[in-house]
Amino acid sequence: MYAVVGCSECSALWIVEGRPETTRCPRCGTRKRFDRLKQFVTTDDPDRAKQARAAMLAERQEMGEAFADLDDFASMAARLDEAGIDDETYLESSGVDPEAATQAGDRAEQGVGGSRSRQETVTDALVELDEPTRDEIVAYARERGITEDYVDRTLEKLRRAGEITASDGAYRRL
């Protein structure tokens, strides 16, 4: 069930789904008990609730006749894909290669090709190297663009946090 309700404080109109115990006005933030709110329209169809709220807002602004000339929400939503330019055209006009953008989006969603944080790189060295010494960890990190100073600070933080231990010059994770 969808209900178009109004706020007694600021006169805002909004749509509430279901029958919650309370609801909050999106404009002024006042919390109201749902059963005490004025329900202007109650329907099982969300599009009808949207249409009713929009009609009420148009009437408030004395634009009811203009609103009546418009199509309903459902038919306007169906035409959204036809409106404007498509994504590929927009990207090309902005100087972006659409295929490269699609590939980057795919990588981001799949987690492929993502970079590791500097701390993750240091902990990776602890896992991947056999009995890693400070110098081996520094060399591993340097290959990945991380400074020696950062490696020393990170190893010390990890040691103080109890995540690693150092004995005879070799580090290991706990």
Side-chain angles (χ1 to χ4, degrees), residues 64-105:
E65 289 180 28
F67 182 78
D69 293 340
L70 294 175
D71 291 335
D72 61 47
F73 271 89
S75 61
M76 286 192 289
R79 291 195 318 250
L80 279 179
D81 289 336
E82 301 166 8
I85 61 174
D86 63 355
D87 291 344
E88 187 173 318
T89 305
Y90 176 77
L91 289 172
E92 285 176 349
S93 67
S94 299
V96 177
D97 178 17
E99 187 173 324
T102 301
Q103 291 171 352

Side-chain angles (χ1 to χ4, degrees), residues 4-121:
V4 178
V5 297
C7 179
S8 58
E9 302 293 321
C10 68
S11 300
L13 296 173
W14 72 99
I15 299 171
V16 177
E17 181 179 3
R19 292 196 166 280
E21 188 172 321
T22 62
T23 184
R24 183 181 305 271
C25 173
R27 183 184 297 159
C28 70
T30 305
R31 182 163 289 285
K32 303 280 185 178
R33 288 180 45 104
F34 179 75
D35 58 356
R36 292 202 175 150
L37 286 172
K38 170 87 170 145
Q39 296 180 29
F40 297 101
V41 176
T42 304
T43 179
D44 290 329
D45 182 18
D47 288 333
R48 286 194 50 176
K50 291 174 191 175
Q51 190 72 23
R53 178 182 177 269
M56 292 171 69
L57 292 173
E59 284 296 327
R60 278 188 184 176
Q61 297 175 6
E62 298 179 2
M63 300 294 286
E65 289 180 28
F67 182 78
D69 293 340
L70 294 175
D71 291 335
D72 61 47
F73 271 89
S75 61
M76 286 192 289
R79 291 195 318 250
L80 279 179
D81 289 336
E82 301 166 8
I85 61 174
D86 63 355
D87 291 344
E88 187 173 318
T89 305
Y90 176 77
L91 289 172
E92 285 176 349
S93 67
S94 299
V96 177
D97 178 17
E99 187 173 324
T102 301
Q103 291 171 352
D106 291 343
R107 282 193 310 272
E109 289 175 0
Q110 296 169 356
V112 176
S115 63
R116 305 283 289 163
S117 72
R118 295 185 301 172
Q119 183 172 346
E120 288 173 329
T121 302

